[in-house]
Structure formats: structure tokens, C-alpha cells
Amino acid sequence: MSLEQELLAQRHARIREIEALGFRAYGQRFDFSTTIPTILKEYTPKSAEELASPRVEVKICGRIHTVRRMGKAGFLHLSQLGERLQIYIKKDDLSEKEFALYQLLDIGDIIGVTGYLFRTRTGELSVHVQTLTFLSKILLNMPEKWHGLEDVEIRYRQRYLDLIANPDVQETFVTRAKIIASLRRQLEERNFVEVETPMMQPLYGGAAARPFVTHHNTLDIDLFLRIAPELYLKRLIVGGLDRVYEINRNFRNEGISTHHNPEFTMLEFYQAYTDYKGLMDLSGELLCQTAIDATGSPVVEYDGATLDFSNIRRLTIREAVIDFWPENSTRPTMENVKDPEWLKQNAHKASPGECLVEIFERVAESKLIQPTIIYEYPVETSPLSKNNLDDPAFVDRFEIFAAGMEIGNAYTELNDPQEQRRRFEMQLGMRERGDEEAHQMDEDYVRALCYGMPPTGGEGIGIDRLTMLLTNSKSIRDVILFPLLRPEGNIGVAADLRALE
RNA sequence: GGGCCGGUAGCUCAGUCGGUAGAGCAUUUGACUUUUAAUCAAAGGGUCGCGGGUUCGAGUCCCGCCCGGCUCACCA
């Protein structure tokens, strides 16, 4: 029998002992009077004397994190919502059954206590326990109390254990929730309507990516998990929902990295009667306020850099290429970066526009640490954006970068159905030449445009990446509760439990 | 997919030149009524990721595979 099985058997047997004392191993409702974080916040500043009179009575619950037993007394740390509070148990102050229960407690058990606040000789805020009850039994072993759980594979696979053992993790996901709530609130304040559009789509579009395929049995059709909600959201703009947004998952059948998870969360919003310049201003306001709501400040530390979301720089893609050109070679001029010949000499793509983007990604992207808006993209890589009035080879589009990552993408939406048809056909051509990520023709979308779409600005913001920036997380897996991993195979716990019955 | 790194007790980690598998925490037993990485005394606990190979002998060397991390490519 392995150690884990022995321990399981031992603790399973303890269930009977707990029940013999008149408690339930898997208890019922517990009406606590306050939470551990609230107590810590409210009473940490109070002195021992202030706590002594009048006494502060509390009824709390939580998971046992540490136990220090000293014969007829003991100290335990309970954890709740990522924070820890010490409780003090003394034989004289409990019933016989409660003290017997205390002696059976394992690290990881969930209990409820009543008692009063005091400070120990060493000054730690603690609860002097007067009654004790049992709420839930742990059967497996907790991770090490000092180092916590560090094995990243276990942290991602068993996120519940990560959340129990590493308090910072709870904080990260609470911040993620604040980010989403902040964006929702800000958009609502600006009269945007939240909508939900199909995730299972017969035609996929709105981005350059390979999709996941699934199948509907009754209709007997293949469907694609959406790579973007864009084309549906713009149909709604045609329909007169002038300001819409959606926060939900996109699915792209591509590689996994510290910046990519196959399913990821995007905010997309569309605003009629504005353009990409209007969205630049809006983006700045949204990001700045979100940083404040999530972290308390528009200025955040990320991986050794200081990012200031209250002051977003704006550069054209050409300016960025010139600006970030490597020090050790001849810096190009504006004439160079406009010259198709020069572009082809410095990249390997078919068209000058694609070359420019390739060069930009090579020389500038990873250096865009400060939040920066890059604008004026070539038409070839932007099949849904409106042409620039002065230069039809370019479109009115920008992307937002920070910490070397793209976190947003926006443009003035193409609303001319004739031009949209030509763009789709251009994409079909790329597709025939082997580009699996090129768009398909979406004729219903073209038909929608034929009814007239108002001039519109649209934008997507990657929520996972934004969360990385605002929680100082180096990997996207640290801001996704259950990132995609290969299945782990047989776990064996069911068999172990069966053996105990 | 390529390159590099890792997988040893439940957790965090050692393991020398190829020669009996180690520590701390956790667990069990005992002592201890303000401790705090509690302390003290004792005990139990291993599919060294999996499968081959070399060898008298493999955690250690070689080959293949599995899982993970970083990185490059691709992408947001």
C-alpha cells in the first residue's frame, strides 16, 4: 500500500471517529458572522487592550492551514479567500467532545468556530475559540506549508490545489474578474449593449486563423468554433444596435505558448458613426480606467518594466520600423519604408504591405514595452478594414501593444459591400495559394452590408493578455484557470476510494 | 513541429566516479495550556515518469516513448 493510500485509509477511518463524537464529516450550512479578510482588515490596527474590552465575538469558518499542538492547547491557521487568521484552542474553554474533535483535526480540514478576538504574547491577531464544529474532511495530503505547490504541471491540472496552497493565485483571478467588470461597466456607461453571438458557426471569419471543427448530429453539418465574433457583431450594427459588445471565448486551432491558449477571451466592441481615431481615444480611456479599477493605479510593474496606461504613445507602423530599427545597422528613412523595392529587399512576402508588417514584427514588436498604439496598416493583412482616404494601399487600423505583446486590434470597419466582396475574393485567392488562414467568402455578411452599415469603428481587446499585464503574470496559463493540457491519464483515486468501502 | 531544460516519498528538494534510496515538511506514537517554518523523542513511508539496452551491478550511461517548462516558428 502506498503512502497516499495509507493516508487515505487513515483519514477515511477518521470520518467514523468524527461522527462518533456527534459531528458530521461533511457538514451542513454554517452561518458565519464575518470573514477572515474582513477581520484582518478591520482589527489588524487594534491593540490588545482595544480588543479586550469590549470583546469582539466572531463566528468564522475556513480551511486549516497549519497546526501547532501543545498538549492541552494549540494554534491553527485558518485560511479563507486567500487570507489566513490564527485561532487558539484551549482545553478548558471547549466541551470534551469539541476538544476530542480538535485532536482529530487534519491540516486541510474545513471547520467553523466561534470565539473572541485577542492578541497573543507575540502580538498576532487571533481568535480565542469557544465552540468548534466540523464542516468538511480532507482525505488527501496538503502540499507543503512553507514552499506551497510549485510544480507548474500540478498547479495547472489541479487548479483547486493551487488555489488552496498559493494565496497569490486567488488574487490573480480576482483581479481578472475586476478587469472584466470594469470594462463592462465602462461600456455600459457609454450605452454599449452586451450581446451574445454564435460560437458554433457554419462559416468562420473575422480573423486569420485555423478553426476547430465540430459536428451537429441532427442537422448533419460540420460547424466551426468561432475564431472571432466580428462578422456577427457587425451584422448587428447593420441592424441598428449602434453600440454593441461581447466578452467571450474565441477558439483558434494553433500552437500553445506563454502568450497563446487555444481558447481565449476577447472583448469586441463596435460603435457606429465613429472611426479608428475615435477608438484610439476610447481605448486610452478604457485601458487607463481598467488599470485603475484592477490595481488602483494606471501605472503597473510588469516583468521589471513600468507600464503607464494613462499615457499611450501613438506611432504609425512605418514610424515604428524606423524608430526601433536595430542600432547596429543603417536606419531606414521614411522614403525607404514607403519604397516597395526596399521592403522586398528586407522581407520575404509577396506584397509590399505584407513585407512591411513582417519587418515591423521583426524589428519593433518585441520592443514595444510601453503601451503603444501602432496605426496605418497595409490593406493586404486587413481584409475587413476601410481604406485610408489618402492612400488606398493602407487601411484605417491600429493595434495596441504593451510588454511586446499585441493586446488590441481596431479599425474603421469596411462598410462598402462591393469593396468587401473584392476583399473576400482577394482572400480566396490567398487561400487557393495555400494560405489556410485566409478568409472564406461570407456572402450573408456581404448581403448584410448591402442593406447599408453606418460608418463604424470596431475593436478587440485580448482579456487574457491584458490580465497578464495587470497581474504581472509571465504566462497566459497563469491567468486562465484551466489552461489546455494533454490529458493526464489514469488518476486512480476512484479505485482507492472503492477499496475503502 | 525544432532546440534546450526537467520528472526521485503526499509536497519542496539532495543524490558525488555506476556499488545497500536521502533530508526537511507532512504522516503515526509519546511529552508539552500564548505557539508561529513551534520544540523535543521515536517510528512508518519509494513503480527513482514508462519501456528497452549496456553492465557482475543503473536513480546515475545509451536508445525509444510519455508528461511538463522555457524558447524559436505560427498566431491574438
Side-chain angles (χ1 to χ4, degrees), chain A residues 342-363:
Chain A
W342 184 91
L343 291 170
K344 283 197 174 168
Q345 280 162 19
N346 285 276
H348 313 89
K349 292 281 162 56
S351 67
E354 288 170 289
C355 286
L356 177 61
V357 171
E358 183 194 312
I359 295 165
F360 164 76
E361 286 172 356
R362 196 175 65 231
V363 307

Side-chain angles (χ1 to χ4, degrees), chain A residues 259 287 291 298 300-303 305-313 324 360 364-374 377 399-409 461-462 464-470 473-474:
Chain A
H259 298 79
L287 290 175
V300 301
E301 293 296 318
Y302 185 80
D303 199 13
T306 304
L307 310 183
D308 184 355
F309 286 95
S310 68
N311 183 21
I312 298 181
R313 195 180 175 198
F324 291 98
F360 164 76
E365 187 168 356
S366 66
K367 294 180 188 163
L368 292 168
I369 304 302
Q370 277 306 310
T372 306
I373 283 174
I374 299 292
Y377 277 73
E399 295 193 309
I400 310 166
F401 293 86
M405 276 190 301
E406 184 187 338
I407 59 168
N409 179 20
I461 291 177
D464 312 278
R465 290 183 175 180
L466 181 59
T467 304
M468 287 170 68
L469 298 177
L470 298 181
S473 301
K474 307 300 172 292

Side-chain angles (χ1 to χ4, degrees), chain A residues 14-24 97 104:
Chain A
R14 205 161 278 177
I15 289 174
R16 292 282 128 67
E17 300 180 59
I18 290 165
E19 285 168 351
L21 290 170
F23 298 96
R24 288 196 185 161
K97 283 186 172 182
L104 290 175

Side-chain angles (χ1 to χ4, degrees), chain A residues 171-184 186-187 247 258-260 264-269 282-295 297-303 307-310 312 369-372 400-409 459-480:
Chain A
E171 201 184 323
T172 294
F173 289 102
V174 169
T175 302
R176 181 181 171 116
K178 286 181 184 167
I179 289 165
I180 293 171
S182 171
L183 287 165
R184 269 211 174 92
Q186 294 182 71
L187 289 164
I247 299 176
T258 48
H259 298 79
H260 302 85
F264 64 100
T265 301
M266 279 263 283
L267 159 66
E268 284 204 13
F269 56 94
L282 178 55
S283 301
E285 291 168 27
L286 288 178
L287 290 175
C288 181
Q289 188 59 46
T290 302
I292 292 169
D293 290 342
T295 71
S297 166
V299 181
V300 301
E301 293 296 318
Y302 185 80
D303 199 13
L307 310 183
D308 184 355
F309 286 95
S310 68
I312 298 181
I369 304 302
Q370 277 306 310
T372 306
I400 310 166
F401 293 86
M405 276 190 301
E406 184 187 338
I407 59 168
N409 179 20
E459 177 163 342
I461 291 177
I463 296 297
D464 312 278
R465 290 183 175 180
L466 181 59
T467 304
M468 287 170 68
L469 298 177
L470 298 181
T471 58
N472 199 12
S473 301
K474 307 300 172 292
S475 169
I476 200 166
R477 290 181 213 100
D478 292 325
V479 301
I480 292 174

Side-chain angles (χ1 to χ4, degrees), chain A residues 210-228:
Chain A
R210 287 154 67 192
F212 288 92
V213 188
T214 187
H215 187 80
H216 187 276
N217 290 338
T218 311
L219 296 183
D220 192 24
I221 50 168
D222 282 339
L223 291 165
F224 302 101
L225 299 190
R226 73 177 184 195
I227 58 172

